[in-house]
Amino acid sequence: MLSICAVPARAESPGEQPRPFESFEGVPGEWTEILNGYVYDPKTYGPRLIAIERQSGGSLPPAFRMATADAYLRSGNRRAAERIFEQGLTQNLGYPWEDFANLGMGTIRLVSGDEGGAQVFFGRLTESQEGSSRALGSLGMGAALSAGGRFAEAQEAFSATAATTTVDEEVRQAGRFGNAMALYGAGDFEAAARAFDEIAKIDPGSPIARDAAYAAARARIALGDREGSAAALRELADGCDPETKTGRAPRALRNLDARAMGRNWLHNYRTTGWGALSGKGSSMYSIDGCALARSTLRALERNDATLTAVQPVSAAAADAHPAAPGPAPAKLPAPAAPTPALAPPRSGWSPALWALAAIAGLVVLWRLVAR
């Protein structure tokens, strides 16, 4: 494999985007420019990065290969991404690439519906010597446990992420939001509402605060408090930018349906470059609390009965008591067969939502590397 001699590159002028990578020994300069372009514009540069990977025969430095795996993930080619991650794990690349590969493999297994396999890879991260990797591993583990309906264990994992001081605030917020969503998914709407309230207080006016304020009100609607929830939604809507026009939000998204949230986040992820996330990462995962508040208020005014039709999934998982995952095997698990589409999820809780939490980890880890 080519040796790496990449160094962070600064923009030459204030208006120019920073170039995370300057040069790699033995790599054509134009290829490095494509890698730097991918950081900001994955839609344009992703296909070019994939073409370079094919042309090189897989002999590029880890930065190229992991970015190409991400490009494959964005394009929906999970098997191609998995192949690169598997190869990386067999090459003992060390930090951060080995952690990146484990996170990627866990994400792919999760989005493929293999929750046990996802726990193996995320579990490796929770034992990393790097605090940031442990936090991301716990985030992914919480995602995998939630996808399996094991919400009490998921809350412990999410709480571990939220309590980590060696990662950015947005990662801790992801842990807090995952914890609240686990409570919501289990049908503990009262506890979920309180958890969302606490999130909304941390950074008032931010996208995640508006989303959390909406989610708290939605949980209280499920509890039957339509009047109090309507007042909270009006307060939220009044604080939104009146110039921002919003259409009718989908009913599934108003109900915090996991599949609808997953589709929304996946769309944002596929069209947002890593470089564009710095300083505003929470907006990528926003479900637009302002639009949801306005749309839900209209639904309350017309007495829409479906607003209370939220089905917790804890009952579906209550009869199953899967054993905790054992230690990671010495050899990599056999790759799962490629699946063109996810099987219908149990109840309304989709692995796609929690896979996006893991993908959030990929974004954060890449940004740590780029620094």
Side-chain angles (χ1 to χ4, degrees):
M1 177 170 292
L2 297 169
S3 61
I4 304 175
C5 59
V7 295
R10 296 181 180 179
E12 296 179 358
S13 65
E16 185 181 346
Q17 292 176 326
R19 298 170 65 250
F21 300 99
E22 183 62 34
S23 65
F24 296 84
E25 183 180 342
V27 176
E30 57 269 25
W31 288 8
T32 303
E33 290 306 309
I34 290 174
L35 176 60
N36 282 321
Y38 181 77
V39 171
Y40 297 97
D41 185 359
K43 182 177 181 181
T44 298
Y45 290 94
R48 302 182 191 179
L49 204 56
I50 290 172
I52 289 174
E53 165 73 14
R54 291 171 176 167
Q55 182 179 344
S56 71
S59 62
L60 290 170
F64 275 88
R65 304 217 70 210
M66 295 304 165
T68 303
D70 180 80
Y72 275 125
L73 273 178
R74 290 177 189 263
S75 69
N77 191 341
R78 283 177 274 167
R79 186 64 194 96
E82 188 175 44
R83 183 178 65 252
I84 294 176
F85 289 138
E86 284 178 331
Q87 291 171 353
L89 288 174
T90 62
Q91 293 167 348
N92 298 318
L93 299 176
Y95 180 82
W97 308 117
E98 189 169 335
D99 287 358
F100 196 102
N102 274 313
L103 193 58
M105 286 294 292
T107 299
I108 292 171
R109 292 300 170 89
L110 190 54
V111 80
S112 300
D114 181 7
E115 296 142 14
Q119 290 169 34
V120 169
F121 291 105
F122 292 138
R124 293 175 180 174
L125 284 170
T126 62
E127 298 176 356
S128 172
Q129 294 182 352
E130 297 290 334
S132 59
S133 295
R134 291 196 300 272
L136 297 176
S138 295
L139 187 65
M141 185 65 78
L145 292 167
S146 291
R150 296 163 63 183
F151 295 108
E153 295 170 82
Q155 289 168 45
E156 293 182 9
F158 284 130
S159 295
T161 296
T164 303
T165 59
T166 57
V167 293
D168 293 342
E169 175 61 21
E170 67 185 282
V171 182
R172 294 193 290 273
Q173 286 284 53
R176 296 182 189 110
F177 206 92
N179 197 334
M181 281 299 297
L183 290 167
Y184 187 90
D188 192 348
F189 301 123
E190 184 174 353
R194 291 196 301 269
F196 284 126
D197 283 339
E198 291 302 313
I199 296 171
K201 295 175 183 177
I202 294 174
D203 187 13
S206 67
I208 194 170
R210 291 192 291 268
D211 292 348
Y214 171 79
R218 184 63 189 86
R220 291 188 171 101
I221 291 175
L223 287 169
D225 184 8
R226 296 168 74 92
E227 184 175 342
S229 298
L233 291 172
R234 290 191 190 95
E235 182 179 357
L236 172 59
D238 289 344
C240 296
D241 185 355
E243 300 297 324
T244 303
K245 295 182 180 180
T246 56
R248 180 179 178 183
R251 177 180 294 173
L253 198 56
R254 295 202 313 262
N255 289 345
L256 298 182
D257 178 85
R259 287 165 294 182
M261 293 176 70
R263 287 192 296 269
N264 182 77
W265 288 348
L266 185 58
H267 171 75
N268 290 345
Y269 176 71
R270 285 177 170 170
T271 57
T272 305
W274 290 325
L277 296 174
S278 183
K280 57 174 184 177
S282 58
S283 63
M284 174 183 165
Y285 307 101
S286 175
I287 53 176
D288 196 349
C290 290
L292 291 173
R294 292 164 180 161
S295 188
T296 302
L297 277 170
R298 292 192 291 268
L300 283 170
E301 290 169 357
R302 61 176 182 270
N303 293 318
D304 188 343
T306 64
L307 281 175
T308 55
V310 177
Q311 298 297 323
V313 300
S314 54
D319 295 332
H321 299 282
K331 294 183 179 180
L332 292 175
T339 52
L342 293 173
R346 294 182 297 276
S347 186
W349 209 263
S350 168
L353 168 64
W354 302 109
L356 266 295
I359 287 175
L362 286 175
V363 174
V364 172
L365 185 57
W366 181 266
R367 280 163 50 187
L368 291 172
V369 171
R371 289 174 187 170

